[in-house]
Amino acid sequence: MDLVSGLFEAITASSTYVNAALFAGLLIFAASGEWIAERSGTINISVEAMLLAGAFTSAAGYTATDSFPVGIICGVLGGMVVAGVQAEMSHRLTADQFVVGLTLNILILGLAGFLARVVDLTTKTAPRWTIPGLSRIPLFGDALFGHPWPFFLLFLVVPLAWWLVFRTRWGLEVRASGEDPQAGDVSGIDVNKRRRQAIYFAGFTAGLGGAFLIFVQVGRFDEGVVSGRGFIAIAAVIFGGWTLRGTIAGCFVFALALALRLQLPNYYEGVPTELLQAFPFLVTIFGMALFAHRVRAPAALARPFVRGLK
Amino acid sequence: MNADHSELTGVGADAASTPAVELRGVTKRFGAVTACDSVDLVLQRGKIHGILGENGAGKSTLMKILIGLVLPDEGSIHVDGQAHQIHDPLAASKLGIGMVHQHFSLVDALTVWENVALGEAGRLDPQAVQHRIGEIGEHYGLTIDPMARVGDLTAGLRQRVEIIKCLRRDPSIVIFDEPTSVLTPEESMTLFASFRDVVAAEGRAVVLVSHKLDEVIAATDEVTIMRQGKVVDEMITADADAPTLARAMVGRDVSLRGERAAFGLVNAAAADPADVGTSDDSTPGDPSSPAVLSIREASARSPQGITLLDGLSLDVHAGEILGIAGVEGNGQRPLGDLLSSLVTLSSGEVRVSGEIVSTKTPGAMASAGIGVIPEDRHDSGVVLDMTVAENLVLIDPARAANRGVLDRTRLVESAEQLIAEFDIQCAGPDAPMWSLSGGNQQRVVLARELSYEPKVLVGAQPTRGLDVGAIEYMTSRLRDAASDGVAVLLISSELEEVLDLADRVAVMFRGRIVGEMARDAVDVEQLSLLMGGAAV
């Protein structure tokens, strides 16, 4: 099979889109919270650790209770515990946000790997819901409207993130904190508190993302279940120029790349799998190279704020 | 006049007996420095109260205490007769204290209404905020588009947003922090005229913080003078005159022209011919000789696509001082940055002694013989954690090195020489830069730039944040440089400083030179119109 027709088969297969929707769901959960954290001025690289912690605690929660809602709530709590460490360390104790994030990513990877070996986790995917009518749309129907039910939490989280940032006073203060913390401080905003709260929100959505991995996409926990997708979520925020719409679009582009990686080996024999595995990350790098210089980051992104200093 | 005001307020005798604000024995120390030393201050309703002092006299610390940005170590604050602790700006705003900041309380990326709503409590109601901005604009003559992005506004309009943001909370006490540094003289006169009416009619107490005598004399009813953290005098403005105020502010008679310029006292029309003589003792450059520094049609954009320079052309000849006047934010900073090799031009060229200098290569301007005293010495002038000696060779460390290895003996020797020559007060060549006062840090920058014997010396806001003595030193050095044949470009938002020093004055507006006149031919009214962007 030649290159072009193989690619054509891959992008017309509805299973590609089902997989893409699953990858996109995970990325969108992670990226919508990451987007708010970045708008407040933090490059929250511990989103990777938040996803993994959320995945582990949701699996543990389900193992203990056999309840999907309890599992999801445990996932949220797991993501928020990591967020708590990140937020308090970098925006109360003024530790460097990258050092804290890097440390958390390594720590949680080790911890989750260890605990997964000690605890016997039994999990499965949640019951599948299909939205009548909509799921029959050709090519995209199944991808968007036929999944295990926690998938549909996405349709709540994204509008919630938008509403918080653009329609509430809290969101206005978060944006001001990410653009000009001095001006925010002079105006009477507790900048570091808003930044901490934004990271907690990132922990909340990444925790949901972790639960999504277990109950929608994979069905069981292992320590490699996240494997760098938190970083792709960060790339999606940059790709999207720190707008929510662009971020979601970025998630879909990168998710499609991840899905094609799964699909392509069916059509190309003999292509090294390592090369195919690198494919989504190549797309990510090209996406960043194309868009990173055309967009404007929050002016105070990654700059710590200490009161009274210039 | 004062009597008129208290009658008009209609608040009556009560207001006179209970001051709006009363500070008693307020003290604040930062390490070994006492910024405010048992300061007493009384503000009355219906009056404009001036707080006058040099840079570093403690004015702004005192105001920061009043609006909750700084906590005092000692002393009491009474608002309407009640003792209060003001922990943060929100507490101050609940007490009715509002401050109009110079330029640092606005977020560029947000719209006007978002900025106005920032820092308030309660549910966010965009329509209500936008409506209120319209009302305030109509009431005080401060109309503005609530949907405009603040970053796109001119300095004058931004000041308007600051004022609306402050008035929107209906403060009974309004503090103006050095409001005129970002306004044209016209704009500031209009502003104060309208504020007199507002104060009179609505019984608010207004504080005007300033280091400019004429502004304080023109706009205030009472004045408190601060020096080195202490209140040294209080008087009714109508009873005071400029020399009295200046003496109280500095603690001695003020006679030097440079000093008077620092206080905004040089009469811009140069009515006194004897005054002009002092700046004429250097021979101004011969305009017919070829220019040493020549910029042609220079245009540049920021990475975000904002126009920084827009077809700017200027010439500076050997031995003359060209002063760039203009309201801050009209491209003065990019011009200074261009000559520090920090800005790359999209079109146009820069020539030094006829040779084109690349704007793409870092350090090319310095190699071509341009010395720069940068606008913000902490940002781009000195490295605070390095020693005085190291800072003195920072531009070209090769001078104190053999094949890339620093030669300590030569480093220290040349540093000691410069320390003596420029009278830099420090513990020695190895003293860390941060241990020096602002004036002495600026001397290090000056010594370094002049020690390279530049052909062109650029002073970008060279006296900002310095005290009177340091200002006098800096201006005399700039004059000396010009009389030694250096082409001097002075970029300053202090119009008085430009008029005091320059042989020619060029006005900058939106990234270009919009007018130019010889010092003797300056018409301040016309200059002010040019600064405001009017075509003359």
Side-chain angles (χ1 to χ4, degrees):
Chain A
M1 188 172 279
D2 70 272
L3 191 77
V4 175
S5 62
L7 205 59
F8 182 76
E9 296 252 342
I11 62 175
T12 49
S14 102
S15 60
T16 304
Y17 292 96
V18 172
N19 278 328
L22 290 173
F23 284 121
L26 173 64
L27 290 179
I28 289 170
F29 273 123
S32 54
E34 177 68 21
W35 170 69
I36 293 190
E38 299 213 6
R39 288 300 290 249
S40 83
T42 314
I43 298 184
N44 181 45
I45 62 168
S46 55
V47 64
E48 178 82 5
M50 292 173 185
L51 284 171
L52 189 58
F56 176 79
T57 52
S58 60
Y62 181 82
T63 304
T65 63
D66 272 343
S67 155
F68 290 112
V70 171
I72 290 171
I73 290 167
C74 288
V76 165
L77 290 177
M80 289 185 75
V81 166
V82 177
V85 178
Q86 171 79 53
E88 302 298 321
M89 291 291 284
S90 58
H91 295 308
R92 198 190 290 276
L93 303 175
T94 67
D96 184 284
Q97 51 182 263
F98 296 108
V99 175
V100 174
L102 203 60
T103 312
L104 277 171
N105 286 343
I106 296 167
L107 178 76
I108 297 297
L109 188 62
L111 198 62
F114 166 71
L115 288 175
R117 241 164 282 149
V118 176
V119 191
D120 191 20
L121 295 170
T122 48
T123 53
K124 58 179 182 194
T125 54
R128 190 165 176 271
W129 286 2
T130 45
I131 311 286
L134 289 174
S135 60
R136 300 241 183 88
I137 299 173
L139 215 55
F140 299 109
D142 253 3
L144 288 175
F145 303 107
H147 286 289
W149 65 266
F151 179 89
F152 298 99
L153 290 172
L154 266 184
F155 295 98
L156 296 178
V157 164
V158 173
L160 175 68
W162 178 85
W163 180 79
L164 278 173
V165 168
F166 291 115
R167 282 294 176 268
T168 68
R169 181 171 301 285
W170 182 81
L172 177 61
E173 296 183 0
V174 160
R175 283 182 284 145
S177 302
E179 289 289 346
D180 192 338
Q182 269 77 23
D185 187 44
V186 169
S187 304
I189 297 170
D190 189 335
V191 169
N192 283 323
K193 188 172 170 185
R194 289 289 171 269
R195 288 181 168 183
R196 290 197 296 271
Q197 291 167 338
I199 293 173
Y200 277 108
F201 186 80
F204 165 74
T205 65
L208 283 177
F212 176 96
L213 265 175
I214 303 302
F215 301 131
V216 179
Q217 196 176 6
V218 183
R220 55 170 204 85
F221 181 85
D222 78 78
E223 62 183 278
V225 76
V226 178
S227 66
R229 281 177 220 138
F231 298 121
I232 298 187
I234 296 176
V237 174
I238 300 169
F239 177 90
W242 289 272
T243 64
L244 185 56
R245 205 177 297 163
T247 299
I248 304 293
C251 289
F252 277 113
V253 170
F254 297 146
L256 194 61
L258 286 165
L260 283 174
R261 184 198 79 193
L262 289 184
Q263 207 72 28
L264 289 175
N266 301 336
Y267 306 105
Y268 300 111
E269 274 171 38
V271 176
T273 52
E274 290 82 358
L275 200 66
L276 286 170
Q277 266 167 7
F279 176 68
F281 297 93
L282 287 174
V283 171
T284 309
I285 286 184
F286 274 115
M288 300 261 289
L290 274 177
F291 288 94
H293 64 101
R294 294 193 194 167
V295 295
R296 207 191 127 277
L301 187 61
R303 294 202 195 145
F305 174 69
V306 183
R307 282 197 78 187
L309 292 178
K310 205 187 153 195
Chain B
M1 191 159 200
N2 292 326
D4 283 350
H5 276 221
S6 49
E7 271 173 32
L8 279 168
T9 57
V11 187
D14 250 17
S17 54
T18 320
V21 175
E22 192 171 1
L23 302 184
R24 285 280 166 249
V26 168
T27 301
K28 177 68 196 177
R29 293 180 203 89
F30 293 106
V33 182
T34 307
C36 290
D37 190 353
S38 55
V39 172
D40 298 336
L41 181 71
V42 176
L43 306 176
Q44 301 288 358
R45 295 199 177 288
K47 295 251 169 81
I48 301 186
H49 192 112
I51 296 187
L52 186 65
E54 293 183 58
N55 287 312
K59 304 175 303 250
S60 50
T61 305
L62 190 64
M63 293 304 113
K64 281 178 184 163
I65 288 172
L66 204 48
I67 64 156
L69 282 174
V70 169
L71 286 179
D73 298 327
E74 289 163 29
S76 65
I77 303 173
H78 287 77
V79 180
D80 289 325
Q82 296 274 320
H84 287 284
Q85 299 254 320
I86 306 175
H87 288 288
D88 53 50
L90 210 57
S93 118
K94 279 184 188 139
L95 290 170
I97 303 172
M99 179 144 162
V100 177
H101 299 272
Q102 294 178 45
H103 35 59
F104 50 83
S105 93
L106 298 181
V107 181
D108 282 358
L110 301 181
T111 64
V112 169
W113 78 261
E114 285 175 327
N115 266 290
V116 170
L118 199 60
E120 291 175 358
R123 210 174 66 83
L124 187 67
D125 185 347
Q127 271 74 37
V129 180
Q130 289 158 19
H131 184 68
R132 185 89 181 100
I133 291 172
E135 279 178 1
I136 294 172
E138 222 158 274
H139 187 64
Y140 297 103
L142 299 167
T143 46
I144 195 151
D145 173 14
M147 307 306 283
R149 220 180 62 99
V150 162
D152 297 334
L153 301 177
T154 63
L157 286 176
R158 291 168 63 95
Q159 183 83 26
R160 225 173 241 205
V161 181
E162 294 271 16
I163 296 171
I164 292 171
K165 184 172 172 177
C166 174
L167 289 176
R168 148 112 162 111
R169 300 178 198 188
D170 197 25
S172 51
I173 299 128
V174 186
I175 303 166
F176 275 90
D177 183 21
E178 307 263 4
T180 55
S181 65
V182 294
L183 297 179
T184 68
E186 299 279 13
E187 282 173 326
S188 60
M189 289 326 277
T190 322
L191 177 65
F192 288 125
S194 74
F195 250 79
R196 292 223 128 191
D197 299 339
V198 172
V199 169
E202 299 177 354
R204 301 182 204 271
V206 174
V207 182
L208 171 63
V209 181
S210 182
H211 68 278
K212 289 186 181 169
L213 292 175
D214 56 355
E215 189 173 294
V216 167
I217 290 170
T220 66
D221 302 310
E222 302 164 326
V223 58
T224 294
I225 299 123
M226 291 186 71
R227 189 169 73 229
Q228 289 169 353
K230 292 193 176 114
V231 170
V232 289
D233 213 342
E234 289 163 305
M235 49 186 99
I236 304 290
T237 313
D239 300 343
D241 58 11
T244 325
L245 289 175
R247 201 180 308 127
M249 196 165 142
V250 189
R252 58 186 162 80
D253 282 325
V254 172
S255 53
L256 293 166
R257 199 184 145 81
E259 284 188 352
R260 298 180 57 194
F263 295 147
L265 264 191
V266 172
N267 183 341
D272 183 1
D275 257 6
V276 181
T278 50
S279 64
D280 278 353
D281 50 19
S282 63
T283 345
D286 179 3
S288 61
S289 72
V292 179
L293 172 67
S294 174
I295 303 177
R296 282 287 159 269
E297 295 292 328
S299 296
R301 281 167 176 274
S302 73
Q304 286 83 38
I306 298 161
T307 301
L308 300 174
L309 297 173
D310 182 18
L312 176 137
S313 298
L314 59 81
D315 285 314
V316 193
H317 302 270
E320 76 163 347
I321 302 180
L322 174 66
I324 304 284
V327 176
E328 227 167 279
N330 276 295
Q332 290 95 330
R333 185 160 198 145
L335 175 59
D337 287 350
L338 169 68
L339 298 172
S340 317
S341 291
L342 296 174
V343 166
T344 302
L345 292 181
S346 54
S347 66
E349 60 182 33
V350 178
R351 285 172 187 267
V352 174
S353 307
E355 301 279 320
I356 289 187
V357 185
S358 162
T359 61
K360 287 181 186 155
T361 321
M365 295 290 169
S367 317
I370 300 181
V372 180
I373 302 164
E375 180 165 335
D376 183 342
R377 61 179 172 272
H378 291 162
D379 209 27
S380 47
V382 297
V383 182
L384 285 177
D385 286 328
M386 284 166 61
T387 68
V388 172
E390 285 167 340
N391 270 286
L392 281 167
V393 298
L394 210 53
I395 288 188
D396 183 12
R399 291 203 317 174
N402 292 325
R403 289 176 193 170
V405 180
L406 276 182
D407 179 343
R408 256 201 69 79
T409 325
R410 249 163 71 199
L411 180 73
V412 170
E413 261 171 27
S414 71
E416 275 170 346
Q417 205 182 330
L418 288 172
I419 288 169
E421 190 187 333
F422 286 84
D423 196 20
I424 298 165
Q425 302 292 319
C426 63
D430 288 330
M433 202 61 192
W434 51 258
S435 66
L436 274 64
S437 72
N440 281 299
Q441 289 179 2
Q442 196 70 317
R443 278 183 195 212
V444 170
V445 176
L446 184 69
R448 179 181 71 209
E449 298 302 327
L450 285 176
S451 68
Y452 289 91
E453 294 173 356
K455 294 178 200 162
V456 180
L457 182 63
V458 180
Q461 317 285 3
T463 61
R464 175 167 292 171
L466 301 184
D467 65 24
V468 171
I471 290 175
E472 175 61 16
Y473 182 83
M474 178 61 72
T475 53
S476 72
R477 277 291 182 167
L478 290 177
R479 267 202 205 96
D480 292 350
S483 52
D484 289 345
V486 177
V488 179
L489 179 67
L490 170 70
I491 306 169
S492 174
S493 55
E494 303 277 331
L495 182 54
E496 293 79 10
E497 185 170 279
V498 172
L499 292 173
D500 175 43
L501 276 168
D503 302 306
R504 279 188 304 136
V505 180
V507 178
M508 210 168 166
F509 182 73
R510 298 213 177 145
R512 59 191 306 157
I513 302 293
V514 291
E516 194 184 297
M517 45 191 97
R519 172 65 185 87
D520 308 341
V522 161
D523 172 353
V524 172
E525 201 169 309
Q526 198 188 2
L527 205 60
S528 167
L529 284 171
L530 284 170
M531 285 165 69
V536 177

